[in-house]
Amino acid sequence: MSFSGKNIRNGIYAAVAVCWIAAPVFLSNYQTDVLNNIAIYALLGLSLNIILGYGGMFHMGHAAFFAIGAYTTAIINTSYGIPVLWLLPLSGITAGVFALVVARPIIHLRGDYLLIVTIGMVEIVRIALVNNIFGITGGPNGIFGIASPQVFGHPINGIVSPGHYFYLLTAFLAFTIAVFYLLEHSRYGRALKYLCSDSIAAEGSGIDTSGYKLSAFVIGAFWAGMVGNLYAGKITFISPESFSFWESVVMFMIVILGGAGSIPGVLLGAILIIGLPEFFQELQQYRLLIFGIALVAMMIFRPQGILPPKPHTYPVDKLDEKEVTL
Amino acid sequence: MSLLRVENVVKYFGGLVAVDNVTFDVPDGGIFGLIGPNGAGKTTVFNLITGNYKLDKGRIVFRDMDITGMLTHRVVALGIARTFQNIRLFSNMSVLENVLAGYHCRMTSGAVAAMLRLPNQRAEERRAVGRAMAELHFTGLGSQAENLAKNLSYGNQRLLEISRALASDPGLIILDEPAGGMNEHETTALVDLILRIRNRGITVMLIEHDMSLVMRACEHIVVLEHGKKIAEGTPEVIKSDPKVIEAYLGSEDDDI
């Protein structure tokens, strides 16, 4: 069975990966920058997918975690001159700690209730940034002059040479995909899927549902915080506008449209939602209209998303008889 | 020695007393039945034991440990597993993954170990799959491992719930109407399965409407009516208890 569905699928993934990596060679700087945006949103989508896709929690405030990561990097880099990439883990940690504190009291909320509270959360964060909270966020103007990341002493400027930044983002994206794939097919990933499917049955099977919900928020926020770091390093200037409620909606749509709980689905969702509008620039004013119609149609005809998750197969045949014991 | 002790347990739903000062002991190693007419409070008692409901008064002791008010997943980790009356499977996941849910509390690898694919984590995954397959063979679902849970027949879905509960290595397994919706043939197979579970050293607690099943399988029975315990004893004692007969068939006076 050399042409099984799985092999064909893997072939397609490999072809897409090769095209993606080779793309900047053939594209203009502007077009490469679009790819960079796709990569950023793909990363954000993947991090939201932990919470929304596997865990099934309607979280529409993901931009808040993204913002906290970006501002952590911006503030510390501009004040103390610590290189941007060194701040990558710290940006993740601040966002993760924020998620731990904020998500804890709301974790038991279900469905639309959680949705509304998380919308409130992202708005509060944005307004706090606008109001120059603690006098360190620069208010509505934001923070200028963030350094570009350096790799082995070479600065990688996201504005002047998006082609170089592309490979930085792609490397992080590849790492993220690998790590999240392993997470999805582990005890941890399964626990999130159980509680998404039926939280009472999950709890009754011995799964600490509130603990897992909270940790999903923390991991998703940690990753979004790291993406915030790469984003701040890319555009070197951040302001509260970049982290509005609308950004959260875009991330939410990427996951739902592409396929909640599916890594290929989220990647496709990012390509479609961030990339496609670039092709329809002539249509300008009709863009959102078409977008809206497409979303409504999707929700009616394919609510599970374009590429829903495939069932995982376990190596049952490879087990020895003596491993199958009570 | 009793494995589980339910002591003076009271549960209100609003003004209604769902469970009214119920006390009983589940002996270690047998098959224990909890029966009673509809609305007698049987499932409520189960939900109190497993921590799904908070009790208003009384206490519950398992293996000399007070588990009153403990969170459900902690109760499972201590060794009380359950099935649900209205089947609750993870319907879009495979049969094998459903059983792995039960073994979850016997595993330790977390998110970081998974992301780094540590050798311990991989060995543990392999062990878990082996154990889950063994549980599926035990209940006779071995050939269905790769199927989605929702595609199983009704009877097999009940068996899958039992497999999932067994995978958590329980000392006590609570089966809530396991024969519901089963035909006579399947019920006979179920009795055989329950006996085999007991022979593994697991105490079985059974809620059941099907009196023939209860009388065939159980060694000790408690009867509830309107939230109160009205009788307790061996099947022979219960069968001839006038209060039980009245509860199930109505007293002669009611017919007039």
Side-chain angles (χ1 to χ4, degrees), chain A residues 294-315:
Chain A
L295 264 184
V296 171
M298 275 294 297
M299 286 302 104
I300 294 171
F301 297 111
R302 206 170 160 85
Q304 72 274 41
I306 301 169
L307 292 177
K310 291 262 177 288
H312 185 55
T313 46
Y314 291 83

Side-chain angles (χ1 to χ4, degrees), chain B residues 41 72 77 148 152 170 193 218 224 248 253:
Chain B
T72 303
L148 290 186
L152 294 185
L193 177 65
C218 294
L224 292 184
Y248 268 86
D253 305 341

Side-chain angles (χ1 to χ4, degrees), chain B residues 28 59-60 64 67 89 95 150 155 163-164 176-177 185 198 209 226 242 247:
Chain B
D28 198 353
R59 61 187 206 126
I60 294 164
D64 296 327
I67 60 164
L89 291 167
V95 166
K150 65 177 176 190
S163 310
R164 183 176 66 187
D176 197 347
E177 299 204 13
H185 177 71
R198 184 202 53 191
H209 270 307
H226 301 309

Side-chain angles (χ1 to χ4, degrees), chain B residues 49-252:
Chain B
I49 295 170
T50 54
N52 289 73
Y53 294 158
K54 299 270 165 276
L55 42 145
D56 292 309
K57 273 183 208 143
R59 61 187 206 126
I60 294 164
V61 180
F62 178 68
R63 283 178 177 154
D64 296 327
M65 186 191 246
D66 193 336
I67 60 164
T68 315
M70 202 177 263
L71 288 172
T72 303
H73 70 268
R74 295 259 301 120
V75 173
V76 177
L78 284 174
I80 302 181
R82 68 168 297 176
T83 65
F84 292 88
Q85 184 178 348
N86 46 342
I87 300 175
R88 300 192 85 125
L89 291 167
F90 309 114
S91 45
N92 282 317
M93 299 176 80
S94 74
V95 166
L96 180 68
E97 283 178 308
N98 269 272
V99 183
L100 285 172
Y103 196 61
H104 180 93
C105 61
R106 303 296 166 223
M107 298 166 79
T108 54
S109 300
V112 176
M115 285 173 161
L116 301 176
R117 208 166 150 73
L118 298 177
N120 280 348
Q121 186 260 347
R122 292 166 62 186
E124 188 182 66
E125 279 288 305
R126 200 181 166 98
R127 205 162 58 239
V129 173
R131 170 64 190 267
M133 282 309 297
E135 291 296 355
L136 285 173
H137 288 306
F138 182 78
T139 51
L141 293 177
S143 59
Q144 310 276 352
E146 305 271 297
N147 261 346
L148 290 186
K150 65 177 176 190
N151 294 339
L152 294 185
S153 70
Y154 195 74
N156 281 348
Q157 291 194 0
R158 287 221 174 272
L159 292 179
L160 178 53
E161 276 222 335
I162 296 174
S163 310
R164 183 176 66 187
L166 286 173
S168 71
D169 257 337
L172 173 68
I173 185 169
I174 303 184
L175 306 176
D176 197 347
E177 299 204 13
M182 283 190 177
N183 60 34
E184 183 54 34
H185 177 71
E186 287 170 320
T187 306
T188 307
L190 179 70
V191 173
D192 175 59
L193 177 65
I194 291 172
L195 294 174
R196 284 192 294 130
I197 293 172
R198 184 202 53 191
N199 292 345
R200 276 170 65 175
I202 300 167
T203 306
V204 181
M205 188 167 167
L206 205 60
I207 290 188
E208 196 43 75
H209 270 307
D210 186 333
M211 289 303 280
S212 73
L213 171 70
V214 175
M215 294 303 166
R216 263 188 290 173
C218 294
E219 290 142 10
H220 192 91
I221 295 172
V222 162
V223 188
L224 292 184
E225 194 196 11
H226 301 309
K228 287 196 177 80
K229 184 170 90 173
I230 58 168
E232 180 169 5
T234 60
E236 286 69 35
V237 174
I238 296 296
K239 252 188 244 179
S240 53
D241 189 307
K243 275 206 234 150
V244 177
I245 296 168
E246 189 185 313
Y248 268 86
L249 302 174
S251 65
E252 285 173 32

Side-chain angles (χ1 to χ4, degrees), chain A residues 125-146:
Chain A
V125 168
R126 187 185 65 80
I127 292 166
L129 294 173
V130 169
N131 288 338
N132 199 6
I133 189 171
F134 309 130
I136 53 174
T137 68
N141 295 329
I143 297 175
F144 292 85
I146 305 160

Side-chain angles (χ1 to χ4, degrees), chain A residues 150-217:
Chain A
Q150 294 198 343
V151 176
F152 301 121
H154 297 285
I156 300 180
N157 191 313
I159 298 164
V160 180
S161 53
H164 292 162
Y165 216 89
F166 173 86
Y167 289 105
L168 178 65
L169 286 171
T170 298
F172 191 67
L173 182 60
F175 170 69
T176 303
I177 292 170
V179 158
F180 283 7
Y181 176 83
L182 293 174
L183 191 65
E184 179 182 336
H185 301 298
S186 72
R187 170 178 183 259
Y188 185 88
R190 281 196 304 272
L192 291 183
K193 287 186 252 178
Y194 296 140
L195 73 87
C196 172
S197 168
D198 183 338
S199 75
I200 292 177
E203 182 80 24
S205 306
I207 287 149
D208 177 5
T209 49
S210 14
Y212 272 95
K213 283 180 182 177
L214 191 59
S215 72
F217 259 94

